[in-house]
Amino acid sequence: MAKKLAPVKKPIVGKKELVTAIRKRLESVKFPEEMYLEKWECIVNVKKFFETHLCIVEKQEGMVSEPYAYRLKKALKLLDIDINEIAKGLLEKKKK
């Protein structure tokens, strides 16, 4: 008889916690004048882009926030900021 597998709960970081940590990290970054996510995606006001996208991701749920979260991840990657590392740091703080 086959054994039933118990679902494994992965540790989760709250969305508001993550957004707050990203905002803190962005305070120490010098923004470029313009950024290109792709050839056709030019961000002319980088600071405003991050402010608006973080607000939308923080306040909206589901399908509404997905495109904003995707663009936000791409832009953060261009600034050498890894969301996964920030989340791991938050989880380690929770463990202590």
Side-chain angles (χ1 to χ4, degrees):
M1 194 170 196
K3 292 183 181 180
K4 289 187 178 180
L5 297 176
V8 176
K9 289 187 179 180
K10 292 182 182 179
I12 297 174
V13 176
K15 186 168 39 169
K16 289 190 179 196
E17 274 184 290
L18 186 59
V19 169
T20 304
I22 292 170
R23 281 191 176 119
K24 248 185 205 176
R25 179 74 199 277
L26 287 174
E27 288 174 0
S28 64
V29 173
K30 186 175 185 254
F31 296 114
E33 283 187 36
E34 289 184 344
M35 274 176 59
Y36 283 89
L37 298 180
E38 298 289 339
K39 278 192 237 180
W40 57 89
E41 289 180 305
C42 179
I43 302 168
V44 290
N45 190 339
V46 178
K47 186 175 182 179
K48 187 150 192 126
F49 169 86
F50 282 108
E51 289 172 4
T52 57
H53 277 61
L54 284 168
C55 282
I56 291 169
V57 167
E58 183 178 32
K59 306 237 187 268
Q60 298 294 326
E61 294 290 329
M63 298 293 283
V64 173
S65 66
E66 284 181 15
Y68 294 93
Y70 178 72
R71 286 191 298 268
L72 184 61
K73 286 178 188 177
K74 283 172 54 174
L76 287 170
K77 190 179 269 189
L78 290 173
L79 294 176
D80 290 328
I81 298 174
D82 187 11
I83 292 177
N84 294 325
E85 286 181 22
I86 294 172
K88 283 179 188 175
L90 290 172
L91 287 173
E92 288 174 5
K93 284 182 184 178
K94 280 185 177 182
K95 287 181 183 178
K96 291 180 182 180

